[in-house]
Amino acid sequence: AGTTYGFMVYVCAADNCDVGSPTGGLEVTAGALPSFAADPLTLVAATQTSIEVSWTAPTGLAITQYELYFDNGAGTGGSIVNQIYAGTALTHRQDTLNTGETYRFQIRASNANGMGAYSGISSFAASEAPGVPQNFRYVSSSIYTLQVGWDTPAAVHANEAAIIRYEVQWNDQTTITAVQTITTSPAFKVASPSTPLTAGNTYRFEVRACNINECGSWTSQLDLVCGALPEAPSAPYVITSSATDITLGWDYVGKDNGGVPLS
């Protein structure tokens, strides 16, 4: 690969051959046309009116030119025919876009032997990252489970890109386990680890929202102890009373407190 070879074609009769064609010969460098991976574009940065993408040079022969195309916000169907960049750089920023709109991109490249095929399609939106989920909180628990919940983030700007998922990170702070991630669709704003937890151990949670481009910042960390809520005490009863005060008492005969010390 990389070696250049010259070719000429001759038409020969019984006694002689004509002059070779093409004149001067055809030079071909051994090597395939450039080929990109299915999803070759990486988002560098996005604002409300711009998208900047980057890519890595395909392996093989030296690239002589890249051609970047987008659909001008045409949607999820149809051809991607608007060429927005031609050159040898590995990044491009497209400005004057519509806030919140999703744009589809494709790239192809040429080398000494010609132009390669179009890459797969990458989609990005002219939008900033989502805000932080609101009201991150305890929802419920048992001696084996903990469930947390949150509310939709406040809008960072008008017409922002839609949230496509939430990511919840958690781990056992008592035994210092590896951090694990739970992913939920935007319709579900609660999450619980799928594996049984240990009663009495402390678990740490945080959540963030993600759009088509990237994820926003994490919430503050929420530490919870695995365990059921205590059983209800008895109805209160009067111990003493006078003209100016009443002393009440109650009994607690709960079988256990679910692993969480009573406070």
Side-chain angles (χ1 to χ4, degrees), residues 75-94:
T76 58
S79 301
I80 300 175
V81 297
N82 299 283
Q83 186 182 108
I84 54 176
Y85 174 73
T88 57
L90 296 174
T91 62
H92 173 73
R93 173 176 169 142
Q94 188 68 15

Side-chain angles (χ1 to χ4, degrees), residues 87-164:
T88 57
L90 296 174
T91 62
H92 173 73
R93 173 176 169 142
Q94 188 68 15
D95 293 305
T96 64
L97 303 179
N98 296 323
T99 302
E101 200 156 303
T102 297
Y103 296 83
R104 299 179 300 145
F105 296 80
Q106 281 183 294
I107 192 170
R108 63 178 182 172
S110 62
N111 59 23
N113 290 338
M115 184 68 71
Y118 288 98
S119 70
I121 297 172
S122 299
S123 298
F124 305 104
S127 180
E128 299 174 22
V132 178
Q134 302 181 98
N135 194 24
F136 189 39
R137 61 195 182 275
Y138 164 90
V139 173
S140 65
S141 61
S142 72
I143 60 173
Y144 300 116
T145 65
L146 280 167
Q147 186 177 63
V148 295
W150 59 90
D151 296 330
T152 304
V156 175
H157 57 80
N159 300 322
E160 65 182 2
I163 292 171
I164 61 172

